[in-house]
Amino acid sequence: MYADRIKNLPPYLFAAIDKAKQEARARGVDVIDLSVGDPDLPTPAHIVEALKQAAEDTSNHQYPSYEGKLTFRTAVADWYKRTFNVDLDPRNEVLTLIGSKEGIAHAPLAFINPGDVALIPDPAYPVYRTATAFAEGEAVVMPLLKENRFLPDLEAIPADVARRAKIMFLNYPNNPIGATADRSFFRELIDFAREYNIIVMHDNPYSEIYYDGHRSLSLLEIDGAKDVAVEFHSLSKTYNMTGWRIGSVVGNSEVVAGIGKIKSNIDSGTFGAVQDAGIAALQSPKEIVDDIRKIYQHRIEILYQALQDLGLELEKPRATLYLWAWVGGSSIEYAAQLLEKTSIVATPGLGFGKYGEGYIRFSITQQTKRIEEAVMRLEKMGP
Ligand SMILES: *Cc1c(COP(=O)(O)O)cnc(C)c1O
């Protein structure tokens, strides 16, 4: 019945762990699920209030515009200016998305012909690979290795592959690793993209979730980035709005227009009231995100310490909602044992690609008291 693009989806690796989790819950075991990257904290009240008011506005009851409200796109541009000192023209360098996943999943359709190469990191958010496959492109993996600070080694990409590549996906601060990129890497990346005529698609939903005062970069801060790149941004992680489905893609105007062309033939835009609430989010006082960051910082500290005490090899993340710990051997086996011994669920690294094998990802998107409980269980289990 199904088309090859569905039949060829990668196998679902976590069936056994999901089953064990459900069975444990059915037995009444108090399972702590640290496998999901979905903020537990509520959306700030002023944003919810803005939605309520915007829902009453009858102009929001009809089809929204394809590219998004100019008011929302202007708020995104202003936010980029304030946050990164990046200038964007809201008329043609910003497009509203139904969450950044939607834009990422549609983007290859605008640029990839069958057989064209998309360079994708491994381990990575799985959408880059499936979106490439849906466009009948060939995904070529760039391993993210510890010895390269979890950055792709651009020089290791063979020139003939680079010449066939139309697009490259990247994501810093990185899910699942928690690694960040520095300016010098981003400069090298832009030179590489220019040399081989590759469109860089930088996925940046975690820019505001950073620790120890290490502000994260936008790729667009680098000179010349707009010639070759777009950046996906999302309100999901910054403002606890995963359920709202709103984000944006910004940067190179031709690339933005290409994604818009695909979208205008598939969806009909984002509910106007959600965009109005999105404006309220983007204009939030700085303290809103500072407070969210403080909560996460505490969780990161205690879970990092507990994993270190267990003897696992890991770096303290500079950003994101994740701790990425080396456990060696089969990550699926380790996750199964962890569940059995502590009733904690974490994500096996293999689920993010073969270079994720040997690692486990712990998320901090559960209430602080649950993370504290998880820490106690890990201490009790011991190394
Ligand atoms: C959460 C996440 C997204 C998607 O966020 P949206 O809710 O679709 O805006 C995109 N990329 C990565 C790496 C993520 O972790």
Side-chain angles (χ1 to χ4, degrees):
M1 178 201 281
Y2 296 118
D4 292 345
R5 69 176 61 83
I6 286 187
K7 287 190 203 141
N8 295 339
L9 282 171
Y12 185 64
L13 297 169
F14 306 138
I17 289 166
D18 282 355
K19 192 156 166 260
K21 175 166 86 177
Q22 276 158 18
E23 280 169 6
R25 283 208 168 121
R27 288 198 310 272
V29 174
D30 178 23
V31 173
I32 303 179
D33 192 348
L34 304 184
S35 70
V36 286
D38 188 355
D40 58 298
L41 300 164
T43 307
H46 73 283
I47 303 171
V48 177
E49 207 43 57
L51 176 75
K52 287 183 189 165
Q53 284 180 24
E56 308 250 7
D57 178 349
T58 55
S59 72
N60 283 329
H61 298 175
Q62 293 180 285
Y63 280 121
S65 71
Y66 289 127
E67 68 276 12
K69 291 189 180 199
L70 186 59
T71 49
F72 177 76
R73 289 179 289 138
T74 302
V76 171
D78 292 347
W79 186 89
Y80 258 81
K81 182 69 184 170
R82 276 198 312 280
T83 310
F84 303 117
N85 199 24
V86 165
D87 290 299
L88 293 167
D89 184 339
R91 286 164 305 175
N92 59 6
E93 294 179 332
V94 182
L95 179 71
T96 307
L97 300 174
I98 311 170
S100 56
K101 180 179 183 181
E102 177 265 309
I104 293 163
H106 283 142
L109 294 173
F111 307 102
I112 293 280
N113 284 316
D116 284 346
V117 166
L119 294 164
I120 63 165
D122 180 336
Y125 185 59
V127 182
Y128 314 139
R129 180 186 287 276
T130 48
T132 301
F134 284 173
E136 297 179 40
E138 182 191 336
V140 174
V141 154
M142 303 182 291
L144 305 185
L145 306 175
K146 181 161 187 267
E147 58 260 38
N148 298 329
R149 294 173 299 136
F150 298 108
L151 299 168
D153 180 358
L154 301 175
E155 285 174 15
I157 300 168
D160 61 314
V161 172
R163 272 193 290 273
R164 283 173 55 218
K166 279 296 289 288
I167 62 177
M168 177 195 288
F169 281 108
L170 277 176
N171 160 228
Y172 294 98
N174 183 275
N175 172 16
I177 299 172
T180 55
D182 55 19
R183 261 171 215 283
S184 70
F185 170 74
F186 275 161
R187 277 201 203 100
E188 195 194 325
L189 169 69
I190 287 162
D191 290 344
F192 179 85
R194 211 190 295 256
E195 180 178 350
Y196 289 105
N197 207 9
I198 296 169
I199 300 164
V200 178
M201 309 228 165
H202 186 235
D203 182 16
N204 196 4
Y206 296 101
S207 67
E208 302 318 296
I209 313 296
Y210 58 77
Y211 304 112
D212 301 317
H214 297 299
R215 181 183 81 81
S216 305
L217 299 178
S218 162
L219 176 59
L220 299 176
E221 288 178 45
I222 311 302
D223 283 342
K226 239 196 250 176
D227 298 337
V228 294
V230 290
E231 187 160 89
F232 292 89
H233 197 267
S234 170
L235 305 195
S236 288
K237 314 289 166 47
T238 311
Y239 300 106
N240 305 325
M241 290 175 73
T242 48
W244 297 57
R245 312 314 305 134
I246 183 159
S248 59
V249 58
V250 306
N252 185 280
S253 60
E254 284 177 275
V255 177
V256 166
I259 298 170
K261 252 217 152 79
I262 296 291
K263 276 178 60 62
S264 66
N265 284 284
I266 293 182
D267 63 70
S268 295
T270 304
F271 181 27
V274 170
Q275 296 187 67
D276 289 344
I279 296 170
L282 291 165
Q283 294 175 346
S284 297
K286 188 177 153 298
E287 290 69 33
I288 293 276
V289 186
D290 288 347
D291 290 348
I292 293 171
R293 215 180 269 131
K294 257 182 228 145
I295 292 169
Y296 289 144
Q297 173 99 40
H298 170 68
R299 295 176 183 178
I300 285 280
E301 303 280 352
I302 60 172
L303 194 52
Y304 171 69
Q305 193 56 50
L307 295 172
Q308 265 209 327
D309 293 347
L310 268 188
L312 300 183
E313 198 185 297
L314 80 164
E315 281 169 46
K316 192 168 166 204
R318 287 183 158 223
T320 75
L321 302 169
Y322 312 108
L323 292 140
W324 183 244
W326 173 250
V327 296
S330 161
S331 57
I332 291 186
E333 185 60 28
Y334 188 93
Q337 281 180 18
L338 185 72
L339 175 58
E340 197 179 299
K341 289 187 198 155
T342 64
S343 306
I344 295 170
V345 186
T347 313
L350 186 58
F352 300 101
K354 77 171 182 187
Y355 291 94
E357 181 57 312
Y359 288 93
I360 296 275
R361 189 193 76 172
F362 292 85
S363 159
I364 55 158
T365 55
Q366 294 289 358
Q367 291 175 12
T368 300
K369 65 172 196 288
R370 298 293 285 162
I371 308 257
E372 286 165 352
E373 166 69 21
V375 163
M376 270 165 50
R377 292 184 194 179
L378 292 169
E379 279 168 0
K380 209 167 134 208
M381 175 176 80

